[in-house]
């Protein structure tokens, strides 16, 4: 699958601790228009279960861990996010599910567009139809 990648984020560490800077069109592969974060996810919950028609995002587990399932209609990959120095870049038209959230998990997501409900594809069969086109 070519439409996702793990991005190593450089840690600017010194004796006081660590700092990571995210910059649009530099270490983040798009201009950043929106940032949101997901926390307090209950045990056993599966989030996501949709694709986006055009949205591109970079996801970082700032704290704790969770598993991403990415599906391009042909193949499924499973990615554990548990390191604040690694970003998961997800392009458009990838089905995603997030599961196995640790209690302390905080996911930060950077997006290249403002929130738009009509960008979501929430039905898996519709997703499969759309990627055929
Ligand atoms: C994704 C994964 C990683 C807003 O009002 N504004 C926003 O920017 C977002 C992202 C959501 N919302 C509302 C829409 C829903 O009523 O917040 C509620 C929860 O959103 P959603 O069900 O989309 O959340 P997740 O965790 O299933 O998915 C989110 C992103 O939507 C999605 O793009 O890739 O996180």
């Amino acid at each position: 699958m070519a439409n996702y990648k793990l991005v190593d984020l450089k840690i600017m560490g010194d004796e006081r601790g660590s700092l990571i800077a995210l910059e649009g069109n530099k270490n983040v592969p798009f201009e950043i228009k929106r940032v949101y974060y997901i926390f307090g996810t209950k045990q056993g919950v599966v989030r996501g279960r949709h694709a986006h028609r055009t949205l591109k995002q970079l996801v970082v587990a700032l704290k704790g861990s969770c598993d991403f399932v990415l599906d391009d209609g042909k193949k499924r990959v499973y990615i554990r996010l548990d390191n604040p120095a690694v970003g998961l870049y997800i392009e458009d038209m990838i089905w995603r599910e997030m599961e196995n959230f640790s209690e302390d998990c905080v996911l930060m997501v950077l997006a290249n567009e403002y929130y738009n409900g009509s960008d979501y594809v929430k039905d898996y069969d519709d997703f499969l139809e759309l990627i055929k086109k």
Side-chain angles (χ1 to χ4, degrees):
M1 261 169 76
N3 30 14
Y4 82 93
K5 67 180 173 188
L6 287 166
V7 180
D8 284 325
L9 305 169
K10 187 170 173 232
I11 301 175
M12 263 79 74
D14 59 27
E15 65 287 350
R16 297 169 297 169
S18 303
L19 184 154
I20 290 175
L22 299 176
E23 297 181 296
N25 292 324
K26 292 192 174 174
N27 56 351
V28 177
F30 49 78
E31 193 178 321
I32 302 159
K33 282 206 181 156
R34 177 165 53 108
V35 179
Y36 60 92
Y37 36 95
I38 297 169
F39 57 98
T41 304
K42 306 276 185 292
Q43 295 296 289
V45 162
V46 179
R47 303 193 67 116
R49 285 194 165 133
H50 59 253
H52 285 282
R53 292 169 199 273
T54 62
L55 192 70
K56 296 174 177 44
Q57 304 193 102
L58 183 85
V59 187
V60 183
L62 293 182
K63 197 168 196 292
S65 62
C66 78
D67 293 332
F68 265 76
V69 183
L70 299 181
D71 178 337
D72 67 355
K74 295 190 190 93
K75 203 175 157 193
R76 281 199 154 208
V77 294
Y78 296 81
I79 297 158
R80 167 142 283 230
L81 277 193
D82 59 3
N83 181 348
V86 175
L88 173 61
Y89 172 59
I90 309 174
E91 290 195 340
D92 49 294
M93 288 311 282
I94 300 192
W95 188 266
R96 83 281 322 267
E97 296 176 6
M98 300 101 83
E99 58 193 20
N100 299 324
F101 283 83
S102 65
E103 243 175 69
D104 61 347
C105 182
V106 181
L107 281 187
M108 179 182 67
V109 187
L110 311 183
N112 76 329
E113 283 300 343
Y114 299 119
Y115 178 70
N116 172 10
S118 59
D119 190 64
Y120 284 63
V121 183
K122 292 188 173 174
D123 181 275
Y124 188 70
D125 290 331
D126 291 348
F127 166 69
L128 292 179
E129 280 303 310
L130 281 165
I131 53 169
K132 273 192 211 158
K133 288 178 192 161

